[in-house]
Amino acid sequence: MLKLNGELTFGHRKLVIDVPENTQAMTLSGTTVKKGFMYAYLFDANQRLRGCQLWQKAPKHLTLTPHNASLGGIAGELPAGEWQLHLYNLEGEDRTPKAMQYLCEVECEVKYEAGFESDLQLEPSHMMALESLTPSLTADNIIAFDYSKVKRTESAWYSGDLHAHTCLSDGHNSLAAATEIIKQQGLDFFFLTEHNICHPQLPDLDEVLMLPAVEVTTDKGHFNVHGPKRGLDMRDADYSSAALIQQGLSLMDDEQKAGGAQGSISINHPMMKPWHWHYNDMELAKVNTLEVCCDPTWATSPQATEEALTVLSAMWSAGHRIAGVGGSDSHLAPHECNPQAHEPSLYGDPTTYVYAHGLSGESILAGLRAGQVYFERGCGLAFEINQGDMLPGQAITSPMVTYCLSVEDEFHDYFVELIADGKVVGSYPLKAHCDGVTEFSLDMTDHAWLRLDIRRAGRQQNDREFIGLINPVFNPSFPQFSNPTLATWGELVDTLNIQNLKK
C-alpha cells in the first residue's frame, strides 16, 4: 500500500502514483485529516481522467476496475505507469490561507498469473448500488450524456431542482439515497451540482430525468453550469477564482447560448455570505438565471432572498432578461436539519418549474434560457397568463396582461405582489383551488416588465414570507431590452445600495 501525506495551503500539488503492470483494480482513499475541503482529480498514465472527489475529514474511497467504478470514478483499463493525483486547496485567495492536511492511501490489485487470488477485496459499499446508470463524463473529460433523448413528449410545466449535492462533494447522501429522495419528492428533472466536479455516471430513472451539471466554486462566488459540454479541466489548472470562473463559462460557449443544444449559466446564492457573488467582471449577458431563493431553511436565507429580488429587479431594469430560480442546495439527509432550522433541508425545496416541449435535456435547458420558469415552496401554485396564450419570459403583444392564479394549500393565507419595474404596483389575496381563482389585469404601456412574487401571510400584520415567483413578461418597446444599460456585475453593484453586494 502506498501512503501519501502532507499539507497544502491555498494552491495545487501533484502527486505521483506508480501503477504496476497487470493491475486489475485500484482503491484510493483520501481524507483531509481535520475539517476542510480538498479537491482530488486522478489521471492515469495516458493522462486521462479516472476519478474526482472532494475530500473532507471523513475518508472517501475510490475504486476502479476495467468494468466498474465507485462514485466519482471512471471505469476502464488500468494502464501501467505514472498516474497523477492533482490536489487543490481553493480556500484562502481572498482570506487568510490555512494549511490543510491530507492523507491518501493507494492499493493496487495485481494479477501475476492465471488463477491468482488477491487479498484485496472490493467492498460493495464502495460501489454505487444502483441498478441502471447512464454514462455522463468520459475519461476524455467530455460530457457523453444524450441531451436529445426524450423521456416524455408532452409540452408542459416540469418540476425539478437546479442545485443539489451528494457525498461526491460535501453532501451527506449517497447517490443511491439521493435517487430515492428525488423519486419520493415527485420531481420530473434533477441537476446534481457538485463543487467543481461532474458525475461520471447518472442514475437512469423511469420517471425522473437526471441531468449533468457542475457548481463552479471559487472564493469570488459560485455558479452552476446546467448542461455542460465537458467537465472542468483540473490537470495543472490555473486555480485563481477569475481563471476558474472563465473556464466554467467556457463549458457553455457563446454559440450554444445563442440557440444551440445545451447549456445554461446560473449565479448561486448571490447575497448569502460568505458564499455571495462578488466577481465584478462577470458579464451579465452570459448569465441565464439567478438563484433568488437558496435553501430556505438556512438561517440567513430569508434576508438573502429579499436582497436577491432587488438584484433581479435591477437586472431586468437594465435590460437583462435573467430568470429568477430556486435551488434547494440541499446537502443533508431527510432526517437532518440546518442549525436553528425547524424543518429539514430537502431536495426540491423550493421547486423550480420549467415549461418545456417534452421532457429532455435540450427542452429543459431551452426553457431555462427562455425564462419560461417559476418556482415556489409547496403552495401548489397554478396560473395562466392571457388565458394560457403567454408564458413567463415572453414579450407582450398587446398592452393589457391578465393573470389567473390559485394555490392548492388551503391551510395558509397567500397573496401575490405585482412588481413592475422594481416597484410594487398591486397586491391581491390568492384563492385556494377549491374557491376559484384570483384574476387581475395590468396595462403594460408604461411598464418595461412585470413579475409576480408569491408570499404567505403570517399572524402579524406585516408578515410577508416569500414563497415563490413567476418570472417577468416584458414590453419590447423599451430600449434597454435591445441595448442593455449595464454590462457587468460590478456596474450593477454600483447602482445598488445593498451591503452584501460589497466585497
Side-chain angles (χ1 to χ4, degrees):
M1 177 184 292
L2 174 66
K3 290 189 177 183
L4 303 166
N5 63 343
E7 285 188 345
L8 178 61
T9 306
F10 173 72
H12 166 235
R13 180 164 298 164
K14 179 170 62 179
L15 305 178
V16 173
I17 301 168
D18 289 320
V19 174
E21 296 281 357
N22 299 315
T23 294
Q24 300 300 302
M26 174 189 291
T27 296
L28 183 149
S29 301
T31 171
T32 57
V33 183
K34 299 180 180 179
K35 184 179 180 180
F37 297 136
M38 188 169 293
Y39 297 92
Y41 304 87
L42 179 65
F43 297 88
D44 67 19
N46 298 323
Q47 300 185 1
R48 303 180 80 207
L49 179 67
R50 303 305 302 273
C52 42
Q53 290 181 329
L54 176 59
W55 289 354
Q56 297 176 276
K57 181 179 179 180
K60 292 187 178 180
H61 309 282
L62 181 69
T63 300
L64 301 175
T65 75
H67 305 292
N68 292 292
S70 61
L71 185 65
I74 299 174
E77 295 301 320
L78 307 177
E82 181 181 291
W83 289 45
Q84 295 179 354
L85 182 64
H86 290 254
L87 302 180
Y88 292 86
N89 177 357
L90 300 181
E91 298 184 357
E93 181 178 23
D94 281 348
R95 43 191 158 164
T96 303
K98 295 181 180 179
M100 192 179 303
Q101 292 180 264
Y102 62 86
L103 171 63
C104 175
E105 298 179 344
V106 183
E107 188 167 4
C108 294
E109 177 185 5
V110 179
K111 183 178 180 181
Y112 292 103
E113 57 187 37
F116 175 78
E117 296 283 340
S118 170
D119 292 333
L120 177 62
Q121 300 296 318
L122 301 183
E123 298 181 25
S125 61
H126 291 180
M127 310 313 280
M128 286 182 275
L130 287 162
E131 292 183 3
S132 182
L133 290 163
T134 298
S136 181
L137 183 70
T138 72
D140 294 318
N141 204 31
I142 301 299
I143 297 294
F145 184 86
D146 185 358
Y147 289 100
S148 66
K149 185 177 180 180
V150 178
K151 192 172 285 286
R152 287 182 238 165
T153 58
E154 61 268 31
S155 295
W157 285 106
Y158 291 102
S159 64
D161 196 341
L162 302 178
H163 189 180
H165 298 271
T166 70
C167 60
L168 180 58
S169 60
D170 58 343
H172 293 185
N173 294 307
S174 68
L175 190 57
T179 299
E180 290 305 310
I181 299 167
I182 293 163
K183 291 192 290 188
Q184 291 169 13
Q185 290 291 82
L187 302 174
D188 298 313
F189 68 88
F190 200 89
F191 288 93
L192 286 169
T193 55
E194 311 293 0
H195 299 289
N196 294 332
I197 293 170
C198 289
H199 275 266
Q201 299 183 88
L202 292 172
D204 186 3
L205 307 179
D206 291 336
E207 299 297 328
V208 187
L209 179 64
M210 304 292 289
L211 289 160
V214 59
E215 182 174 16
V216 180
T217 303
T218 78
D219 269 5
K220 298 286 188 183
H222 305 184
F223 69 94
N224 282 335
V225 183
H226 298 117
K229 59 183 180 180
R230 63 176 183 273
L232 289 171
D233 183 1
M234 298 303 290
R235 187 175 61 242
D236 293 318
D238 184 340
Y239 51 84
S240 67
S241 291
L244 284 176
I245 289 169
Q246 292 305 316
Q247 188 187 165
L249 291 173
S250 76
L251 304 185
M252 188 203 83
D253 59 26
D254 292 337
E255 181 181 349
Q256 287 176 322
K257 183 176 179 183
Q262 65 196 59
S264 180
I265 300 294
S266 185
I267 294 179
N268 291 342
H269 37 69
M271 311 307 298
M272 191 180 287
K273 285 192 172 182
W275 312 284
H276 61 299
W277 188 261
H278 53 286
Y279 179 64
N280 288 336
D281 292 334
M282 184 71 159
E283 296 176 48
L284 298 178
K286 293 186 176 180
V287 180
N288 301 99
T289 63
L290 183 77
E291 188 181 62
V292 171
C293 181
C294 172
D295 191 350
T297 71
W298 189 258
T300 60
S301 181
Q303 179 183 344
T305 296
E306 297 297 336
E307 293 173 348
L309 287 169
T310 300
V311 174
L312 185 67
S313 293
M315 287 174 160
W316 276 82
S317 293
H320 293 281
R321 301 196 304 273
I322 295 170
V325 298
S328 73
D329 195 12
S330 181
H331 292 67
L332 305 182
H335 65 277
E336 298 175 312
C337 292
N338 285 315
Q340 305 176 44
H342 302 291
E343 56 183 326
S345 171
L346 293 172
Y347 298 147
D349 181 20
T351 300
T352 297
Y353 294 81
V354 179
Y355 192 85
H357 299 295
L359 183 57
S360 70
E362 287 181 356
S363 295
I364 293 297
L365 292 164
L368 285 171
R369 291 193 301 269
Q372 295 169 185
V373 180
Y374 74 95
F375 70 88
E376 51 108 325
R377 293 196 65 205
C379 66
L381 178 66
F383 69 93
E384 283 188 343
I385 310 174
N386 289 354
Q387 298 181 320
D389 292 334
M390 192 173 188
L391 293 169
Q394 293 183 337
I396 62 172
T397 55
S398 60
M400 196 63 66
V401 180
T402 299
Y403 285 81
C404 293
L405 298 88
S406 63
V407 293
E408 186 176 319
D409 183 5
E410 303 175 29
F411 303 102
H412 299 90
D413 294 325
Y414 296 91
F415 62 97
V416 56
E417 290 182 337
L418 283 64
I419 314 296
D421 304 337
K423 297 180 181 179
V424 179
V425 296
S427 179
Y428 300 92
L430 287 179
K431 295 180 180 180
H433 295 339
C434 58
D435 296 325
V437 299
T438 298
E439 182 174 346
F440 53 84
S441 300
L442 184 73
D443 187 337
M444 291 281 291
T445 301
D446 297 324
H447 298 298
W449 56 269
L450 173 64
R451 185 185 79 228
L452 301 190
D453 292 353
I454 311 301
R455 296 185 178 272
R456 184 165 63 194
R459 296 180 180 179
Q460 303 299 319
Q461 183 175 359
N462 295 324
D463 283 353
R464 47 194 300 273
E465 180 185 1
F466 179 82
I467 295 297
L469 66 75
I470 301 172
N471 273 289
V473 296
F474 69 99
N475 186 340
S477 68
F478 279 72
Q480 65 261 40
F481 294 120
S482 56
N483 186 23
T485 60
L486 301 174
T488 67
W489 182 266
E491 293 175 15
L492 180 74
V493 168
D494 290 340
T495 69
L496 297 171
N497 185 26
I498 300 178
Q499 190 59 38
N500 271 1
L501 281 172
K502 310 301 180 183
K503 179 177 176 180

